[in-house]
Amino acid sequence: MELQKQCIASGIPYEILVSDDSLVANTTVASNINNLPNCHYHKNLKTLGRSGNRNALAQKAKGTILLFLDGDMWPKSKNFIAQYIAMSTHYPVVFGGIAYRETSPENNYQLRWLFGRSREAYALNQRIKNPYTTCFTSNLLIAKKIFDAYPFDAALTAYGYEDLLFIKTLRKNGIPIHHIENPAYHDGLEDATVFLAKTAEAMRHAEKLRSLGKLESNDLKVVYWSQRLKKWGIQPFLGVILRKVAPALQKNLEGPRPKLWVLDVFKLYCHWR
């Protein structure tokens, strides 16, 4: 395991905790991880979701510094851990960034790859200018006392925008996020059909979060424009058009040359469904 190798090379006390919900737990992966020193695989007895999983891992952790790294992320640098160690004594929250492979994937994975490179793999100078809106928890270092004070919202069990609400909480409470160039590759790309299904689920969740007052219109562009179009009285007319063109939108997004502006229109359609 790359992370373990880097931790050993850095000469630090460490533990690597991995957690999966019972429906996706892999016994082979569990055995391989548990056979490594200071590495532990936990299978949840019930589905916790993304927020619950992160909270549960933090509760189990014995150290004072947490590094959240999604299971489909891979450190880009051999000094990945060392760079975070150097920052950990100076900043309570550090984000290293997200990267995507340069080689274009197969057609079915084009959409997720394009989306990630455009909407997640922000350059360091752009992240520094917008420290909260360009931060994700898939590669995040955070002091345990900070996380314990501001954990993920455990009530969120549906998919979508857990990261956004968590980062929003840090911003609201004046917790700064320090950005460095220490990215991890996102290798777990979903095919277009799966990605669009998750996008539709996230859009429905966004509307629920807005109705509960947890998400404001300015937090998401699609919610912002949805509310504006409703205010202008255009939503009913545009909604009819979007229902008619939805199959064409999906055909483009699942094809070999997907367009991100089409994805934005598709999101609006899903938000209104």
Side-chain angles (χ1 to χ4, degrees):
M1 180 182 285
E2 179 65 22
L3 288 178
Q4 191 213 26
K5 291 178 181 177
Q6 291 196 24
C7 288
I8 292 173
S10 297
I12 60 167
Y14 72 93
E15 60 176 349
I16 297 175
L17 307 179
V18 181
S19 177
D20 269 332
D21 285 335
S22 57
L23 294 178
V24 296
N26 187 308
T27 54
T28 301
V29 172
S31 178
N32 291 338
I33 292 174
N34 286 329
N35 286 332
L36 295 172
N38 303 323
C39 298
H40 308 282
Y41 182 99
H42 300 274
K43 175 183 174 181
N44 301 322
L45 298 179
K46 62 179 181 179
T47 300
L48 298 180
R50 288 154 58 93
S51 295
N53 254 312
R54 286 178 170 86
N55 289 347
L57 284 170
Q59 290 173 3
K60 293 182 177 77
K62 301 182 182 71
T64 59
I65 302 294
L66 307 175
L67 172 59
F68 285 104
L69 192 67
D70 282 0
D72 57 2
M73 304 289 285
W74 187 265
K76 185 176 181 179
S77 167
K78 293 296 182 181
N79 296 316
F80 180 77
I81 292 296
Q83 289 193 68
Y84 269 135
I85 292 172
M87 295 291 106
S88 64
T89 57
H90 302 288
Y91 305 99
V93 184
V94 184
F95 178 57
I98 297 176
Y100 283 80
R101 307 287 180 177
E102 293 295 326
T103 305
S104 175
E106 298 175 12
N107 287 344
N108 289 347
Y109 298 87
Q110 278 283 318
L111 177 62
R112 185 64 184 90
W113 181 71
L114 288 170
F115 177 84
R117 284 169 63 89
S118 176
R119 309 282 175 87
E120 295 175 343
Y122 295 108
L124 179 59
N125 61 348
Q126 189 176 359
R127 290 193 278 121
I128 291 173
K129 291 178 182 177
N130 305 280
Y132 295 98
T133 58
T134 59
C135 182
F136 303 92
T137 61
S138 50
N139 176 24
L140 186 74
L141 187 86
I142 183 169
K144 191 174 188 299
K145 64 180 181 180
I146 297 293
F147 187 84
D148 288 344
Y150 309 108
F152 277 82
D153 187 341
L156 302 181
T157 55
Y159 174 83
Y161 303 110
E162 304 90 345
D163 277 22
L164 188 152
L165 294 183
F166 175 74
I167 299 300
K168 183 178 177 180
T169 299
L170 295 183
R171 184 175 192 171
K172 180 180 178 181
N173 288 279
I175 307 298
I177 298 176
H178 183 69
H179 287 255
I180 64 173
E181 187 63 27
N182 195 26
Y185 285 117
H186 180 206
D187 287 333
L189 302 180
E190 305 103 344
D191 66 43
T193 302
V194 172
F195 179 58
L196 291 178
K198 293 175 73 172
T199 297
E201 183 181 356
M203 289 300 97
R204 291 190 291 270
H205 193 213
E207 180 57 25
K208 179 180 179 181
L209 293 174
R210 190 196 65 80
S211 66
L212 293 173
K214 295 185 177 184
L215 196 66
E216 299 176 32
S217 296
N218 290 337
D219 291 331
L220 278 177
K221 287 184 178 180
V222 65
V223 176
Y224 171 81
W225 283 108
S226 173
Q227 295 303 307
R228 297 278 288 187
L229 292 169
K230 287 180 179 179
K231 183 178 179 180
W232 295 338
I234 302 175
Q235 190 268 338
F237 172 73
L238 187 57
V240 172
I241 295 176
L242 290 181
R243 283 194 295 272
K244 290 182 178 180
V245 302
L249 298 176
Q250 189 153 348
K251 183 177 180 180
N252 169 268
L253 295 172
E254 292 179 343
R257 296 181 180 84
K259 305 295 184 184
L260 292 183
W261 70 264
V262 177
L263 178 63
D264 292 334
V265 176
F266 178 80
K267 285 183 176 182
L268 187 62
Y269 161 71
C270 292
H271 187 68
W272 285 343
R273 288 175 65 184

